Amino acid sequence: GSKLGELNYPTDVAFDDAGHVYVVGESNHRVQKFSPRGDPLLVFGRRGCQSGELDHPHGIHIRGKFVYVTELYNTRVSVFTTNGEFVTSFGSKEELRGPRGITADEDGFLYVCSQ
């Protein structure tokens, strides 16, 4: 669905330190934040290739106050705050090919799984 709290092809889920749940909706090109009880709180991202926009987001990882989202079609990782504010993005077609999964080690190094 397209309304707050509705999902369309969810592909990944992550939790922040406060227990909030973040769900990636690949087909509606966004991330939704839910309370620990499951109440929808926030939506960020929309389809596009500009800063803060997502194109087929797939994987998600949260570290501290930052949310890392892989994008299949923009071949990048977009970074947001846990409040949904865009911070930056990194990656390119030469570096990432259809990035999907993402995680980090305890030293903060990010690992991205791509095709």
Side-chain angles (χ1 to χ4, degrees):
S2 60
K3 296 179 183 173
L4 181 65
E6 294 181 345
L7 304 172
N8 191 352
Y9 197 69
T11 55
D12 204 0
V13 63
F15 301 87
D16 67 17
D17 294 335
H20 295 102
V21 182
Y22 298 74
V23 181
V24 176
E26 184 176 326
S27 291
N28 51 10
H29 313 279
R30 65 186 189 179
V31 174
Q32 289 198 67
K33 179 180 179 178
F34 295 86
S35 74
R37 293 179 32 185
D39 301 313
L41 301 174
L42 174 69
V43 172
F44 55 95
R46 65 175 187 214
R47 188 173 198 172
C49 60
Q50 301 301 313
S51 297
E53 297 177 336
L54 303 169
D55 196 354
H56 289 82
H58 193 85
I60 188 169
H61 177 76
I62 299 172
R63 185 160 182 90
K65 298 283 184 189
F66 297 104
V67 179
Y68 300 85
V69 181
T70 61
E71 298 179 64
L72 293 174
Y73 291 0
N74 283 334
T75 61
R76 66 184 179 192
V77 175
S78 286
V79 184
F80 298 85
T81 68
T82 53
N83 291 323
E85 299 166 9
F86 177 75
V87 177
T88 191
S89 63
F90 59 89
S92 67
K93 290 181 181 179
E94 293 77 30
E95 298 170 320
L96 301 171
R97 185 174 183 170
R100 295 181 186 272
I102 185 167
T103 193
D105 64 20
E106 56 190 40
D107 293 323
F109 290 98
L110 288 171
Y111 298 88
V112 178
C113 179
S114 62
Q115 297 176 357

